[in-house]
Amino acid sequence: MTTLTPYLTVHDGSTAIAFYAAAFGAVETGERYEEDGKIGFAALTIDGAPLFLSDEAHEYGAWAPATLGQATASLALTVADVDAAYARAIAAGATVDREPSDQGDERRGWLVDPFGHRWVISSPIG
């Protein structure tokens, strides 16, 4: 079986974990490596889908979007109710990029999390 797991680099790993829990219902799986107060690796799931993250580690080429001044990737999250998920993420601290709207056979909206990563949240229509 092949899987592909996003591995995000953030400026403040502990705060990022709290944000992803509040915004998307993320849960830590218990796998976490910390050294000198920085997260070298943390494994989370969002409704069963894996997500890894770490704090910046410039010596390993791991730079956060906040440091670079731009998003380095976008993440797509499919949920049952895009409007509710979008509102929860905004309430947790994300910023609006594009409000949810109907686009073909999906309803989707774009936002930027407090760590500079872009997310498209979508739901199938019908």
Side-chain angles (χ1 to χ4, degrees):
M1 181 172 139
T2 300
T3 61
L4 178 64
T5 303
Y7 196 143
L8 303 179
T9 301
V10 297
H11 184 67
D12 181 347
S14 294
T15 301
I17 290 169
F19 169 79
Y20 294 131
F24 304 123
V27 176
E28 280 193 80
T29 66
E31 297 178 64
R32 186 195 276 215
Y33 169 74
E34 291 186 63
E35 185 175 312
D36 298 327
K38 290 193 160 211
I39 295 176
F41 173 82
L44 310 148
T45 60
I46 297 175
D47 199 23
L51 174 67
F52 298 161
L53 68 79
S54 73
D55 277 302
E56 290 184 292
H58 300 169
E59 64 275 21
Y60 297 112
W63 298 78
T67 300
L68 297 174
Q70 63 185 9
T72 55
S74 295
L75 296 109
L77 179 64
T78 303
V79 297
D81 183 346
V82 67
D83 293 293
Y86 192 89
R88 189 171 76 189
I90 296 301
T95 57
V96 173
D97 185 352
R98 286 182 267 169
E99 295 278 349
S101 64
D102 293 348
Q103 299 174 26
D105 61 350
E106 288 187 328
R107 182 165 177 78
R108 73 177 71 103
W110 291 82
L111 54 83
V112 179
D113 72 29
F115 311 96
H117 298 286
R118 295 183 73 226
W119 292 74
V120 57
I121 302 176
S122 63
S123 297
I125 294 175

